[in-house]
Amino acid sequence: MSMETTYTVGQYLADRLEELGLGHLFSIAGDYTIEWINNYIEPGNIELIEEVNELNAGYAADGYARLKGIGAMCFTYSAGTLSAVNAVAASYAERVPVVVINGSPSIEKRLTAQQTGFIFHHMINGETDLNIYQNITAAAVKIDNPSSAPELIDYALTQCISEKRPAYIELLEDMVKLPCSPPVGKLTPNQPVALQANVDSSVAKIQQQLASAAKPIVWLGAEIDRMGLHQQASQLVKQLNLPYVTELVSKAVVSEQDPLFVGVFDGKASSQATQDLVEQSDFVLALGVWLSDINSLGESVDYAKTALVSFDTVKYATYFMPQVPLGFFIDGLLEQKTSCSFTGVIPKSANLEASQYSGAITYQGFYDFIKDKQYINNDTIVGSDASLNFFGSMLLDVGAPRGFIAQPTYSSIGYIGPAATGLSLAKEDQQRVIVFTGDGGFQMTPQCLSTQSRFSLNPIIFVMDNGVYGVEQWLYDAEVFSGDRDFYDSCKLHRWDYSKLANVFGCQGWQVETYAELESAILEALEHSNGPSLIQVKVPAKSIPDNAKWKQK
């Protein structure tokens, strides 16, 4: 295809996105984007997913990218793109590779605005969007010349897939149909720059610690997932033959059915078996672990016995070694045939005793019921919103590798409902998406049901209806849940009849207050395969999961 005849900037961008594996584009209609959408997306192989607002589209693209390795959204200038800032900031914090395509005013309009003061719709000063997105992306570029378009597009997309962080591409409306050079070669991630001497030194240091420890353990973090190191990490755990734990943000990074897996370590919210294992260990090899308050609730990491291998460094007590990428380090341990032993008995969580569920549903009872009835199987993708659901969901058994999705590092409530849209489009055909959200978070993004109904997506969304921003109250003053004091007024919600939203958005909905009603609703939802299912679970306002009860004010 010659540059002089048919190859254009718009085609270049579409082709590069498809080459990276993008099958769906989340978008809101806008006059600055319609030229590109109509001529290069609609006729091509990337399916357009018309979303209801930019925030939901951003969350959907994030969920999609967590499974597919790339996600993308397309909006109009400022009024559209600035509405997605929170979602993109979350993707940046959580290291999720999404691409923002911002359809923007032409050169003619920009010059007119700058030189005469005549402003076109959506414009502020012509540079606002780019300046904002430079702070929350790995690369932010403006396509205002067809000669440089291929180089800038390739740079932005390469940074996205290399850093596993968002990229921003500002596409001027008059650039779309201008001719440019066609793509040369395939885009691949940049390889991290390692210092082999530092890698060798770090491997030797950690080998020594593993060999001398009596009860070493492995802690697998989110960087394993983001950098695609699942196979190497699993191989290393088997070679070391050590018990391992994960973080909440890395829950189910590999299948939780591995007999060496003990649980999610999240401070005092962890199971007792997990807490015992970590406390009794004398060396912790933390691979790709990200430290944050939500990933270490109520406890501080014991740096004296923990070697942190992440962000291209190795840190252990006073030992520090830079330019040691995680993949290089794991490969180094594997090549050295590193072995060690764990003395004693690996603690295991007690099996849940079969219970007779009756009466009103409690928060803990709900999660016991879900686990006991085995509604989560090896073909289930589980998601949890930033809410009290973090506590209940972290103790669920998730057999699917990469089968748990949450956003605990950034913790933007309202994420998981629209993220379920992206997950449902990115999952394997036999898989089903089941997500848990608080009522406060769901009130922020309920229009996700509209998109899911429109495209016949079938996630099951549990809305835990307790009438309060429970996790916000818990974070600031958890004693309210165990005492007579009332919730802060700022944490009280206006009550919705969530199940009736199903009628508004064209899906199925149930409201349940007893375990019998819950079981009936779940069984019906599992049979409902051509649209989303919303199950409103009414629980008492002061009912919280057992593993959240440790916290005082």
Side-chain angles (χ1 to χ4, degrees):
M1 192 178 292
S2 67
M3 182 179 78
E4 291 75 20
T5 54
T6 56
Y7 210 87
T8 63
V9 172
Q11 189 66 57
Y12 192 102
L13 177 56
D15 285 350
R16 282 304 204 194
L17 289 170
E18 183 180 349
E19 173 195 312
L20 292 178
L22 189 74
H24 301 83
L25 175 69
F26 301 91
S27 183
I28 305 291
D31 58 321
Y32 293 134
T33 65
I34 284 178
E35 182 87 32
W36 184 61
I37 294 291
N38 285 357
N39 290 284
Y40 300 104
I41 296 300
E42 293 279 23
N45 296 321
I46 298 174
E47 182 180 358
L48 186 69
I49 304 298
E50 297 90 346
E51 265 287 2
V52 290
N53 63 57
E54 290 82 4
L55 181 63
N56 279 26
Y59 288 152
D62 179 290
Y64 185 90
R66 289 178 188 242
L67 295 185
K68 279 286 190 178
I70 191 72
M73 61 198 89
C74 179
F75 311 125
T76 198
Y77 198 65
S78 286
T81 306
L82 296 185
S83 294
V85 165
N86 185 60
V88 178
S91 296
Y92 184 87
E94 299 258 335
R95 299 192 72 171
V96 180
V98 297
V99 183
V100 183
I101 298 105
N102 185 8
S104 64
S106 65
I107 294 175
E108 179 184 21
K109 291 176 180 176
R110 288 168 183 261
L111 288 174
T112 300
Q114 291 166 2
Q115 300 298 325
T116 71
F118 184 91
I119 299 297
F120 293 86
H121 64 285
H122 301 336
M123 288 187 70
I124 301 173
N125 61 21
E127 300 297 331
T128 306
D129 294 24
L130 181 65
N131 290 337
I132 289 173
Y133 271 89
Q134 284 174 336
N135 297 287
I136 53 173
T137 57
V141 300
K142 178 168 62 177
I143 309 301
D144 57 4
N145 190 301
S147 297
S148 59
E151 180 181 357
L152 290 174
I153 291 170
D154 285 0
Y155 166 72
L157 296 180
T158 299
Q159 286 296 103
C160 180
I161 61 176
S162 300
E163 300 296 322
K164 311 302 181 185
R165 281 192 160 127
Y168 169 88
I169 299 175
E170 190 167 305
L171 180 63
L172 273 63
E173 60 180 330
D174 54 339
M175 294 293 111
V176 173
K177 287 191 172 182
L178 293 183
C180 73
S181 301
V184 176
K186 300 292 186 182
L187 296 181
T188 57
N190 294 325
Q191 293 301 307
V193 180
L195 285 178
Q196 192 58 50
N198 290 9
V199 174
D200 295 342
S201 172
S202 300
V203 168
K205 176 70 173 179
I206 299 308
Q207 277 189 302
Q208 181 183 20
Q209 297 306 130
L210 287 169
S212 62
K215 293 185 177 181
I217 66 170
V218 177
W219 190 10
L220 297 181
E223 201 168 313
I224 295 291
D225 176 67
R226 303 303 193 265
M227 297 303 172
L229 300 172
H230 313 85
Q231 183 176 351
Q232 294 97 309
S234 295
Q235 187 179 350
L236 180 61
V237 168
K238 291 177 182 177
Q239 179 175 298
L240 296 175
N241 195 32
L242 293 179
Y244 70 93
V245 297
T246 59
E247 302 178 271
L248 177 58
V249 71
S250 63
K251 177 177 169 64
V253 65
V254 294
S255 174
E256 295 187 340
Q257 294 182 339
D258 189 320
L260 291 172
F261 174 70
V262 177
V264 174
F265 179 61
D266 196 351
K268 293 182 179 179
S270 316
S271 70
Q272 191 59 54
T274 304
Q275 292 185 60
D276 290 345
L277 175 74
V278 174
E279 183 179 347
Q280 295 168 13
S281 66
D282 54 1
F283 180 69
V284 180
L285 177 56
L287 300 173
V289 167
W290 299 344
L291 300 179
S292 73
D293 54 351
I294 304 299
N295 284 315
S296 55
L297 289 167
E299 290 187 7
S300 298
V301 173
D302 188 345
Y303 296 103
K305 70 175 185 180
T306 304
L308 292 160
V309 187
S310 56
F311 303 113
D312 292 346
T313 61
V314 177
K315 301 175 285 290
Y316 173 55
T318 59
Y319 180 86
F320 174 79
M321 193 62 67
Q323 281 188 263
V324 183
L326 180 60
F328 283 74
F329 177 82
I330 293 176
D331 287 343
L333 284 179
L334 288 170
E335 290 169 4
Q336 294 297 320
K337 306 296 183 184
T338 303
S339 62
C340 50
S341 60
F342 182 92
T343 59
V345 178
I346 299 174
K348 293 291 183 181
S349 296
N351 292 327
L352 187 67
E353 294 183 5
S355 302
Q356 296 297 319
Y357 298 94
S358 61
I361 300 171
T362 64
Y363 230 119
Q364 183 61 44
F366 169 80
Y367 275 100
D368 287 345
F369 185 84
I370 294 294
K371 190 171 184 178
D372 190 22
K373 297 292 184 178
Q374 298 182 341
Y375 293 124
I376 309 298
N377 60 37
N378 292 346
D379 288 324
T380 307
I381 302 294
V382 179
S384 177
D385 209 44
S387 61
L388 293 173
N389 288 288
F390 273 175
F391 296 97
S393 63
M394 78 169 63
L395 301 182
L396 293 174
D397 297 323
V398 179
R402 306 180 68 214
F404 183 82
I405 305 296
Q407 195 201 61
T409 304
Y410 191 74
S411 286
S412 185
I413 67 174
Y415 161 78
I416 202 61
T421 303
L423 295 171
S424 296
L425 290 164
K427 69 177 180 62
E428 298 176 8
D429 290 342
Q430 81 281 5
Q431 293 179 317
R432 189 77 181 266
V433 175
I434 296 178
V435 301
F436 307 92
T437 178
D439 45 356
F442 189 74
Q443 285 192 8
M444 294 185 172
T445 53
Q447 307 97 317
C448 63
L449 295 172
S450 176
T451 307
Q452 292 158 6
S453 295
R454 179 176 184 174
F455 291 94
S456 300
L457 307 177
N458 63 359
I460 299 174
I461 301 175
F462 290 96
V463 179
M464 304 302 288
D465 177 15
N466 59 5
V468 294
Y469 285 119
V471 72
E472 307 299 342
Q473 176 72 63
W474 184 90
L475 285 167
Y476 184 75
D477 183 1
E479 291 180 353
V480 166
F481 289 97
S482 58
D484 296 330
R485 287 187 296 117
D486 196 8
F487 294 95
Y488 296 122
D489 288 342
S490 60
C491 292
K492 295 178 182 177
L493 294 171
H494 175 65
R495 303 303 289 266
W496 289 11
D497 190 340
Y498 300 94
S499 61
K500 289 186 177 179
L501 290 175
N503 296 328
V504 174
F505 295 119
C507 56
Q508 297 293 312
W510 297 263
Q511 182 183 118
V512 302
E513 298 186 49
T514 68
Y515 293 102
E517 293 171 344
L518 176 60
E519 182 169 31
S520 177
I522 293 174
L523 293 176
E524 291 180 36
L526 289 170
E527 292 298 317
H528 179 57
S529 61
N530 61 353
S533 297
L534 185 151
I535 301 179
Q536 175 185 356
V537 183
K538 296 184 75 69
V539 294
K542 292 195 175 184
S543 176
I544 62 175
D546 288 349
N547 58 333
K549 293 179 179 178
W550 56 268
K551 186 176 184 292
Q552 302 300 312
K553 188 176 186 301

